[in-house]
Amino acid sequence: MDSQTSQPSQAPQSPHTFQVDLRGLVDLLSHHLYSSPKVYLRELLQNAVDAITARRAEQPHAPATVRLYAEGGALRVEDSGVGLTESDVHNLLATIGRSSKRNDGLESARSDFLGQFGIGLLACFVVAERIRVVSRSARTPAAAPVEWTAADDGSYTVRTLPHEARTEPGTTVHLVARAGAGEWLSEERVRSLARDFGSLLPYDVRVGDEVIADLPAPWDRPYPSPATRRVALARHCHDLFGFTPLDSIDLDVPLAGIRGVAYVLPSAVSPAQRAGHRVHLKGMLLTERAEQLLPDWAFFVRCVLDTDSLRPTASRESLYEDETLAAVREALGERIRSWLTGLAAGDPERLAAFLSVHYLGVKSLARHDKEMLRTMLPWLPFETTDGRLSLEEFAQRHPVVHFTRTVEEYRQVAPIASAQGVGVINGGYTYDSELIEALPSVRPGTVVSELDADTVTAHLDAVDPAEELALSAFLAAARAKLDPLGCDVVLRAFHPLSVPALHLDDRAARHEQARAEAEEQADDLWAGILGSLRGSAPRARLVLNHLNPLIRRISSLNDPELIGTATESLYGQALLMAQRPLRPADSALLNRAFIGLLEWATHTDPGKDDRR
């Protein structure tokens, strides 16, 4: 018999329903979904505004009011919205995860609502132990008012009230603070939270008699002059973010339903610092820490805006990353880019003031945007041997744009290259070398070349062969002393005369030096592997200046030991002048040379009183 047919058939089992522990769910909301208990007030405002929006969809001239009253650890929120019947209460308020926006054919109009997730009044349990809702339906005027009372243990009661209990359509929510949460329901805190969340709401929202909404938004108000508008926006920025901006940038993207302003920070910030922007969704504050709203390069601004197109996450405290947000990010980046090009074309003083603080952000943008690089060429500052210049000014002065990739390399060669008439740009700072290499793409005909040790040495004057031959014993002793350090010794004549020696290397030489050091410290196996990787890159070199009086005196010495000590001293001094980090071997050399010079200076020959 087939094994499958030998098994007894099983009767289908009826499905079971999930059981929800409301206290556990409230704990989940308060500790994981929401960043702070303060969101309870946003949820209450949101429900009230959505109820008004639903009523006005059917009754365009219906009243649109929200009133909040806080007293004695209790809060009452009244709205003139669409209201609920007894059936609505059972279906909507008592069913976790169901949204009233799905009801009665309003699904197609959900984009008009702030709430999209149906979490509803649960957030109120974060601060309240009991919620009481009294509501009267605008859709069913003959229906009696209904009362829904819920406790944080998951129990609730529903009862109908006499008609006089609520004569007008709408809803009133009563909260009673839980132990330790009374401060969240105080009048002062409620007023502060209502201002923060609801300042741009399009309806009449009040805490007591105080109007909360402050419309039109500061960026949409009419002003007597551009200067007056600039002052007003600066005041708004200071009130909102705590700083007075360098400038303000209008963020108007009609296709994305976005209106707002970006404020330019008055001081430099790290590009790695994530900016927090304030985003309102249909007037309600969604988040004050939106990080993904702008491109990464626009770290020098802080934004506040209102939108009706971006999607919030389930907590409604951040933005959902989707194609719409990506398009908005690109559009806002274009607005900031247009502001920069506008300054370059018509307000160079303001642009200079901006670049003196935020040149790093503009350089970051110019790396990927040739048009921005072309626009900013006359303005972006670079460290050069001719002083701080723009790439445009430097390229006009020098037929070849030489640059170094590190600050250390620049410090090695800058004094010497400048004396020889060779212009060099320090490309060791963030983004600089990338921009220099991109220069020919926006300035055709420009020649860009990385400056290495060979190029510098080639620009130094050679010493007369006869003189160099006469110094061959000195050079041999010097080379023998520095050979264990992976450094050659070269004799050249160059300016300035005050520089006795110049230490030159490049990345390839440093790589070879690091490999040799690792080979010395490795066991036989790794030493063999590292030895097989030995490169043919030129070694570092110590270039001695034949024009320097000290070098001339040292080269005339006959004592090989003293020549070696002097050579080590020159090598160490050249490293220090280049501000290069010292290896342990370099530090030991400096100590040895210093002690050697002291011993030589204090040495007394027999039969002589002193040594001069």
Side-chain angles (χ1 to χ4, degrees):
M1 177 181 284
D2 187 84
S3 60
Q4 292 182 346
T5 59
S6 65
Q7 297 179 0
S9 61
Q10 296 182 350
Q13 297 182 353
S14 59
H16 298 282
T17 302
F18 281 105
Q19 301 299 309
V20 177
D21 180 354
L22 189 57
R23 282 201 175 100
L25 185 57
V26 170
D27 181 73
L28 180 67
L29 292 175
S30 60
H31 291 96
H32 300 283
L33 185 64
Y34 295 130
S35 62
S36 165
K38 68 180 183 181
V39 297
Y40 88 91
L41 192 70
R42 184 195 62 199
E43 296 294 334
L44 288 174
L45 285 176
Q46 178 177 286
N47 285 342
V49 170
D50 283 344
I52 293 172
T53 301
R55 183 177 180 185
R56 283 203 159 185
E58 302 175 1
Q59 304 172 19
H61 301 293
T65 62
V66 181
R67 298 289 182 266
L68 296 91
Y69 304 95
E71 184 178 0
L75 175 66
R76 184 171 85 255
V77 181
E78 301 176 354
D79 70 66
S80 60
V82 69
L84 301 171
T85 63
E86 183 178 0
S87 175
D88 293 334
V89 166
H90 284 289
N91 291 333
L92 303 175
L93 295 187
T95 305
I96 294 173
R98 180 174 296 176
S99 172
S100 61
K101 273 71 78 177
R102 296 189 180 95
N103 192 42
D104 293 340
L106 289 177
E107 177 70 27
S108 60
R110 288 190 72 205
S111 62
D112 293 332
F113 295 98
L114 301 177
Q116 298 285 313
F117 295 94
I119 294 176
L121 291 173
L122 279 182
C124 294
F125 281 121
V126 175
V127 297
E129 62 183 6
R130 185 165 57 89
I131 302 173
R132 175 170 167 258
V133 177
V134 176
S135 188
R136 183 164 189 165
S137 175
R139 294 197 185 104
T140 314
V146 60
E147 178 190 71
W148 176 80
T149 304
D152 61 3
D153 62 1
S155 63
Y156 72 93
T157 60
V158 177
R159 66 189 181 105
T160 58
L161 301 176
H163 284 272
E164 57 270 17
R166 186 177 180 99
T167 58
E168 296 294 329
T171 300
T172 301
V173 179
H174 302 262
L175 301 185
V176 177
R178 65 171 58 253
E183 192 270 339
W184 288 104
L185 271 63
S186 67
E187 184 176 9
E188 182 179 355
R189 178 56 69 93
V190 168
R191 182 182 295 107
S192 174
L193 293 178
R195 282 201 204 102
D196 203 31
F197 286 120
S199 61
L200 300 184
L201 288 174
Y203 301 139
D204 180 8
V205 180
R206 306 188 186 198
V207 176
D209 295 327
E210 182 177 335
V211 178
I212 296 303
D214 188 18
L215 296 176
W219 51 85
D220 284 331
R221 295 171 190 168
Y223 296 97
S225 67
T228 306
R229 183 177 191 270
R230 194 156 46 243
V231 170
L233 289 179
R235 187 182 306 113
H236 175 249
C237 175
H238 189 274
D239 293 342
L240 207 59
F241 295 115
F243 65 85
T244 300
L246 282 178
D247 205 351
S248 56
I249 308 168
D250 285 327
L251 302 178
D252 186 6
V253 187
L255 291 179
I258 286 178
R259 288 284 298 162
V261 63
Y263 293 116
V264 182
L265 291 166
S267 56
V269 293
S270 167
Q273 180 177 330
R274 303 300 296 178
H277 308 290
R278 290 177 64 93
V279 177
H280 295 255
L281 180 61
K282 303 179 185 72
M284 181 75 74
L285 179 65
L286 178 69
T287 178
E288 52 191 355
R289 298 189 305 274
E291 295 182 349
Q292 68 274 49
L293 186 66
L294 295 181
D296 290 340
W297 56 260
F299 55 82
F300 50 83
V301 298
R302 296 291 180 271
C303 295
V304 53
L305 55 83
D306 189 24
T307 177
D308 58 14
S309 63
L310 298 178
R311 289 177 58 195
T313 57
S315 67
R316 291 189 285 278
E317 294 190 289
S318 59
L319 299 173
Y320 187 81
E321 185 68 48
D322 57 9
E323 293 180 357
T324 302
L325 180 57
V328 166
R329 185 186 300 122
E330 183 177 349
L332 295 180
E334 183 59 38
R335 286 294 304 118
I336 298 173
R337 182 187 291 108
S338 299
W339 169 78
L340 282 171
T341 55
L343 288 187
D347 200 340
E349 290 185 1
R350 287 171 68 196
L351 177 63
F354 166 76
L355 288 179
S356 67
V357 178
H358 295 299
Y359 61 89
L360 201 58
V362 179
K363 286 182 177 181
S364 175
L365 170 59
R367 288 183 306 154
H368 308 293
D369 191 323
K370 288 185 178 180
E371 191 58 39
M372 179 57 64
L373 177 58
R374 184 180 292 108
T375 301
M376 291 292 112
L377 272 181
W379 308 102
L380 288 175
F382 288 79
E383 182 181 359
T384 80
T385 49
D386 294 350
R388 287 188 71 79
L389 297 176
S390 68
L391 290 180
E392 178 67 27
E393 291 175 295
F394 189 87
Q396 290 174 357
R397 297 185 184 189
H398 299 277
V400 178
V401 177
H402 290 289
F403 74 99
T404 63
R405 289 192 182 275
T406 67
V407 175
E408 291 79 10
E409 290 173 356
Y410 178 80
R411 288 169 178 163
Q412 288 180 68
V413 304
I416 309 304
S418 179
Q420 310 306 312
V422 179
V424 185
I425 303 178
N426 184 355
Y429 296 115
T430 307
Y431 309 134
D432 282 7
S433 61
E434 297 175 70
L435 295 176
I436 297 166
E437 290 181 302
L439 187 56
S441 67
V442 296
R443 196 178 189 275
T446 303
V447 179
V448 173
S449 175
E450 182 178 354
L451 191 67
D452 55 21
D454 288 333
T455 305
V456 176
T457 306
H459 279 84
L460 305 180
D461 294 333
V463 178
D464 182 85
E467 292 187 47
E468 187 166 0
L469 182 61
L471 299 175
S472 58
F474 160 72
L475 292 173
R479 286 166 181 154
K481 198 66 176 176
L482 296 187
D483 183 68
L485 295 171
C487 183
D488 291 331
V489 177
V490 179
L491 188 65
R492 291 289 188 272
F494 56 86
H495 292 272
L497 300 180
S498 59
V499 179
L502 176 66
H503 181 271
L504 293 177
D505 63 1
D506 52 27
R507 285 174 297 161
R510 289 194 292 274
H511 175 76
E512 176 62 20
Q513 190 177 61
R515 186 210 58 78
E517 291 178 356
E519 181 181 354
E520 290 179 2
Q521 300 172 6
D523 57 28
D524 292 342
L525 173 61
W526 280 108
I529 296 174
L530 292 170
S532 67
L533 299 176
R534 182 179 293 109
S536 59
R539 303 202 302 171
R541 66 200 69 176
L542 181 69
V543 184
L544 303 179
N545 187 359
H546 188 54
L547 301 179
N548 180 268
L550 176 62
I551 296 297
R552 286 183 175 274
R553 289 196 295 272
I554 294 174
S555 64
S556 64
L557 296 173
N558 294 319
D559 184 346
E561 183 177 348
L562 184 55
I563 290 174
T565 300
T567 302
E568 288 180 330
S569 300
L570 290 169
Y571 173 82
Q573 188 263 354
L575 285 179
L576 293 174
M577 290 296 293
Q579 301 183 41
R580 291 290 304 279
L582 298 180
R583 301 169 297 162
D586 297 329
S587 299
L589 175 144
L590 278 172
N591 291 331
R592 184 171 63 248
F594 178 71
I595 297 299
L597 289 175
L598 285 179
E599 289 178 347
W600 178 81
T602 57
H603 177 71
T604 302
D605 285 340
K608 291 187 179 181
D609 294 331
D610 54 32
R611 183 170 183 167
R612 300 185 185 277

